């Protein structure tokens, strides 16, 4: 029979479980107890609208269900299938939660499948994800490529490499002949990446004050070399807001051995050379070393960047009186990771003067999706 477990969260919230454990000093009887039975049903062409926590890329509904199960807050989900044709959100896994653990609404919708977290079920919460997906590309996030005889060998290469989280193998059916049998090993970015960073008068930009970077127990200080360039050996260059942001990106990249940040174009040049470091003096360039197995100082997340904009992939806008309000709004929004605020000195007809949420992709196992809030006065 079901007994009651009480959980304190603002008001009493009781859920039915098979073992009676009172984890807070509240009365166990509860007039609205809810059974958390294992529900493995998948509802095809049924949407659970609203209650979104975040969205992730996922290759199929089973993987989406595993993402929900492994997400600490997810109660249920909606997966946007490959046959969805209303917009370009194919392969989106919408992670959802509600106070009672149940969807508020169920609505018919072609091209989606919905279901529930498997947390109440007796199963492995960290399963081996051995399934491969034919004719599906996990785009981007490459850090290494090699040629292998088949996808099984590519999968083994990914499994044996601690940095690899997923892979894409190009088979014999691919149109471009000279890259067939190429195995792309990939990883997830745990650091906020802005799609574009530009200098722009009359704007203020910054990051959400809730860090989404995994925290290490050991704290360390980063090594930076002002007015110093390390030429050559580039593996990737991406936008960054500061040398410290660039250092965090390099630290997250599995093969970045050092970096150079150019303040004139706000680019982070990540490099790979395990043999030596050759430096040269160069004004406006800061180079440095990544941090490994320790927690970098993340004060760069709290910095406000004047006359710097993150101007791409707009998904939402709203007017605000000041930049601090914009930052607080971004911090309070679970989806927002960075923002841009336009002030009275802003005057560029080609640049949107309104608040916007920007999107790249955040993911747990695949590719990160980031959101930016741009606000105007």
């Amino acid at each position: 029979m079901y007994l009651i477990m009480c959980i304190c969260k603002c008001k009493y919230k009781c859920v039915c479980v098979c073992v009676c454990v009172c984890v807070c000093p509240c009365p166990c009887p509860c007039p609205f107890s809810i059974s958390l039975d294992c529900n493995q049903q998948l509802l095809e062409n049924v949407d659970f609208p609203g209650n979104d926590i975040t969205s992730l890329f996922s290759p199929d509904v089973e993987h989406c269900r595993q993402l929900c199960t492994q997400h600490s807050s997810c109660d249920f989900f909606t997966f946007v299938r490959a046959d969805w044709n209303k917009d370009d959100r194919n392969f989106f896994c919408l992670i959802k939660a509600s106070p009672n653990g149940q969807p508020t609404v169920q609505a018919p919708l072609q091209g989606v499948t919905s279901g529930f977290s498997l947390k109440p079920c007796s199963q492995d919460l960290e399963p081996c994800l051995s399934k491969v997906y034919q004719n599906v590309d996990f785009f981007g996030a490459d850090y290494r490529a090699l040629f292998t005889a088949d996808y099984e060998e590519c999968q083994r290469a990914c499994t044996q490499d601690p940095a690899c989280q997923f892979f894409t193998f190009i088979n014999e059916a691919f149109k471009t002949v000279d890259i067939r049998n190429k195995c792309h090993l990939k990883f997830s970015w745990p650091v906020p990446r802005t799609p574009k960073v530009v200098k722009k008068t009359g704007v203020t930009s910054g990051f959400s004050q809730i860090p989404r970077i995994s925290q290490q127990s050991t704290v360390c200080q980063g090594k930076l070399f002002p007015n110093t360039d390390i030429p050559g050996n580039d593996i990737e260059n991406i936008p960054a807001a500061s040398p410290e942001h660039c250092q965090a990106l390099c630290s997250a990249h599995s093969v970045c051995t050092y970096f150079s940040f150019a303040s004139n174009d706000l680019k982070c040049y990540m490099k790979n050379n395990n043999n030596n470091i050759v430096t040269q003096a160069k004004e406006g360039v800061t180079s440095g070393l990544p941090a490994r197995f320790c927690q970098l100082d993340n004060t760069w997340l709290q910095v406000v960047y004047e006359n710097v904009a993150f101007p791409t992939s707009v998904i939402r806008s709203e007017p605000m009186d000041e930049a601090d309000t914009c930052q607080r709004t971004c911090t309070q929004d679970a989806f927002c990771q960075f923002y841009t605020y336009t002030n009275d000195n802003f005057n560029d007809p080609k640049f949107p003067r309104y608040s916007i949420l920007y999107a790249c992709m955040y993911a747990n196992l695949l590719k990160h999706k980031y959101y930016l809030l741009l606000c105007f006065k």
Side-chain angles (χ1 to χ4, degrees):
M1 73 178 186
Y2 285 119
L3 298 175
I4 303 298
M5 178 174 70
C6 298
I7 302 173
C8 285
K9 188 176 182 181
C10 297
K11 295 183 179 180
Y12 296 135
K13 175 185 175 184
C14 300
V15 295
C16 291
V17 295
C18 295
V19 178
C20 183
V21 181
C22 219
V23 296
C24 61
C26 61
C28 276
C30 183
F32 51 93
S33 297
I34 299 164
S35 176
L36 291 183
D37 289 334
C38 174
N39 189 341
Q40 301 187 49
Q41 184 181 14
L42 292 173
L43 304 174
E44 193 168 324
N45 298 320
V46 174
D47 183 27
F48 293 160
N51 301 304
D52 292 16
I53 301 174
T54 189
S55 59
L56 314 172
F57 273 137
S58 188
D60 66 4
V61 67
E62 291 290 348
H63 183 266
C64 181
R65 178 158 63 179
Q66 290 296 340
L67 290 178
C68 177
T69 301
Q70 294 181 48
H71 193 289
S72 60
S73 301
C74 183
D75 297 319
F76 46 92
F77 65 89
T78 293
F79 174 70
V80 185
R81 303 192 307 261
D83 60 316
W84 168 267
N85 58 14
K86 298 184 185 301
D87 52 39
D88 61 356
R89 291 183 298 159
N90 306 85
F91 302 107
F92 267 43
C93 176
L94 305 175
I95 301 296
K96 302 168 181 280
S98 69
N100 65 3
Q102 299 295 315
T104 308
V105 180
Q106 298 188 28
L109 185 62
Q110 286 293 125
V112 304
T113 300
S114 297
F116 298 86
S117 167
L118 299 179
K119 293 183 188 73
C121 307
S122 298
Q123 54 105 48
D124 184 3
L125 295 182
E126 295 185 0
C128 173
L129 302 175
S130 59
K131 184 178 179 179
V132 295
Y133 305 92
Q134 299 294 337
N135 301 316
V136 174
D137 183 19
F138 292 163
F139 185 76
D142 299 38
Y143 72 92
R144 182 186 167 202
L146 62 156
F147 287 93
T148 60
D150 49 36
Y151 77 82
E152 288 97 339
E153 184 177 345
C154 182
Q155 187 176 46
R156 287 194 295 272
C158 180
T159 302
Q160 294 299 319
D161 189 332
C164 184
Q165 293 176 297
F166 46 100
F167 68 92
T168 292
F169 175 76
I170 301 174
N171 61 33
E172 297 291 338
F174 197 74
K175 184 177 180 180
T176 307
V177 177
D178 59 357
I179 60 172
R180 290 175 182 173
N181 294 99
K182 197 170 187 179
C183 171
H184 295 268
L185 304 185
K186 301 166 181 279
F187 74 108
S188 290
W189 284 99
V191 177
R193 292 182 62 193
T194 52
K196 190 176 182 181
V197 182
V198 297
K199 294 181 179 180
K200 186 71 63 175
T201 301
V203 301
T204 300
S205 297
F207 295 88
S208 167
Q209 299 304 286
I210 299 177
R212 291 167 173 84
I213 304 170
S214 58
Q215 303 294 304
Q216 302 281 342
S217 58
T218 303
V219 178
C220 60
Q221 295 294 323
K223 188 76 171 177
L224 296 177
F225 309 109
N227 297 315
T228 301
D229 186 26
I230 306 177
N233 301 302
D234 293 14
I235 54 171
E236 189 172 359
N237 69 83
I238 58 177
S242 66
E244 291 79 11
H245 185 198
C246 183
Q247 184 176 48
L249 291 167
C250 180
S251 300
H253 198 291
S254 59
V255 297
C256 181
T257 53
Y258 43 81
F259 65 90
S260 292
F261 172 78
S263 59
N264 63 329
D265 61 359
L266 300 173
K267 286 288 182 68
C268 177
Y269 295 86
M270 290 185 286
K271 303 163 183 287
N272 177 261
N273 183 349
N274 290 309
N275 298 316
N276 55 28
I277 300 179
V278 179
T279 64
Q280 64 181 37
K282 190 171 183 179
E283 189 174 351
V285 176
T286 300
S287 297
L289 305 176
R292 305 293 189 196
F293 313 111
C294 61
Q295 178 61 52
L296 264 177
D297 181 2
N298 284 331
T299 53
W300 61 270
L301 287 169
Q302 302 168 18
V303 174
V304 174
Y305 300 94
E306 298 290 348
N307 299 318
V308 172
F310 304 147
T312 53
S313 309
V314 180
I315 64 172
R316 199 181 87 203
S317 65
E318 55 186 276
M320 293 183 185
D321 293 331
E322 58 184 7
D324 288 345
T325 305
C326 185
Q327 185 184 61
R328 287 194 298 271
T329 303
C330 178
T331 300
Q332 292 166 6
D333 189 319
F335 292 126
C336 184
Q337 293 207 339
F338 43 93
Y339 66 91
T340 293
Y341 176 79
T342 60
N343 59 41
D344 291 335
N345 297 321
F346 179 81
N347 184 20
D348 186 345
K350 296 181 180 179
F351 191 93
R353 185 187 166 96
Y354 44 78
S355 82
I356 34 186
L357 276 176
Y358 286 74
C360 296
M361 293 270 73
Y362 168 85
N364 202 357
L365 302 176
L366 300 180
K367 184 180 177 185
H368 282 271
K369 182 167 188 176
Y370 299 115
Y371 295 83
L372 161 71
L373 180 62
L374 173 69
C375 316
F376 73 97
K377 187 173 180 180

